[in-house]
Amino acid sequence: MTGPLSDVIVLDLSRALAGPHAAMMLGDMGARVIKVEHPAGGDDARGWGPPFAGPEERRESTYFLSCNRNKESITLDLKSDEGREVLGRLVGRSDVLVENFRPGVLDRLGFSVERLHELNPGLVVLSISGFGHDGPEGQRAGYDQIAQGEAGLMSLTGPSPQDPTRVGVPIGDLLAGMYGAYGVVTALHERARTGRGRVVRTSLLAAIVGVHAFQGTRWTVAGEVPQAGGNHHPSICPYGLFRTADAPVQVAVGSEGLWRAFAPIVGLDPDDPRFAGNGDRVARRQELVGLIEEVFGTEPAEVWLERLAQAGVPAGKVRTLDDVYEWEQTRSQGLLLDVDHATLGRVTLPGPPLRLDDAPYAGGREKHTAPPTLGQHTEEILAWLDE
């Protein structure tokens, strides 16, 4: 096994998406990830479909395939004495434990934080919850769309304030996983100095609030409540999606220099007092967007994209996912992985988003492995524990 985390063993007790995504990120960088699943069905995500792949008797959820590459699977019933005994041994051999049970569940299984650190003082524990491990609503179950609403993200997304809209992927889960993996690496770095592990906590609520960015400071500093504004930037104009004669294009006029390059393309004087500064353009956004789309409507998207590129104005298409995965630029970045699955054979997966130096492959390991079937590595892992 190769990669900067190849000396790290991760025990993944999580299911669904946030925890599995965090563990997968660590696996992408070379860590050995051992996924613990219940013998009856395993990770909830194994049943999330359609779509499924493979024959009916051995079907695999494409949802599960998306967040469990580079892992091994062992089945344990943690409510049994035997299952808890094996888990204790795994804890003693691991560097990281990832869990996203509701607060208190791991304690009731006999693996409180204190017990975990008795078994392994150097263990880094990543605990991901829905709304935090404490506080007045810390016991609430965490589901992504509920968190998107509760954490304000849906109020910022959609065509208007009357149409709150979820993001098209479980972004709260994914962000919590990303923050969690970041926290784990931080704690491992600290452990190298102190020899002690610690608990890293994050939640879907925390992860979404953590990416409010300028929308957050609009309220905390300026006292302005942001609202959904469709496909146009609330603070920069023109910056958004525009209709052409055949398809939409996206244009980002993010500076005054770009405005001076863009305005003549659509027949406007960059010094027109109505639109001379960004503040003027934001105040008159509806009028300006209407003028731009009136001109854009005379030619197809490819014509405008070529003209904008020639002028140095950032612009782009709105691609469907099949377009994205067939796009040569996507493939050139190593963002597609071909792996051999135990029952599906050769399959292609979206790959890790990081590349190290000039490696031709994505992630921190040269060879990636397919998501495991339920319990695929149980005997192998038990044999390793007996070594």
Side-chain angles (χ1 to χ4, degrees), residues 69-70 337-341 345-349 368-371:
R69 62 177 176 260
N70 296 321
L337 296 177
D338 293 323
V339 294
D340 293 312
H341 189 272
R346 195 75 165 169
V347 295
T348 300
L349 303 175
H368 294 271
T369 61

Side-chain angles (χ1 to χ4, degrees), residues 103 129 131-139 201:
S129 59
F131 294 88
H133 76 288
D134 54 11
E137 300 188 43
Q139 291 297 317
R201 300 188 190 278

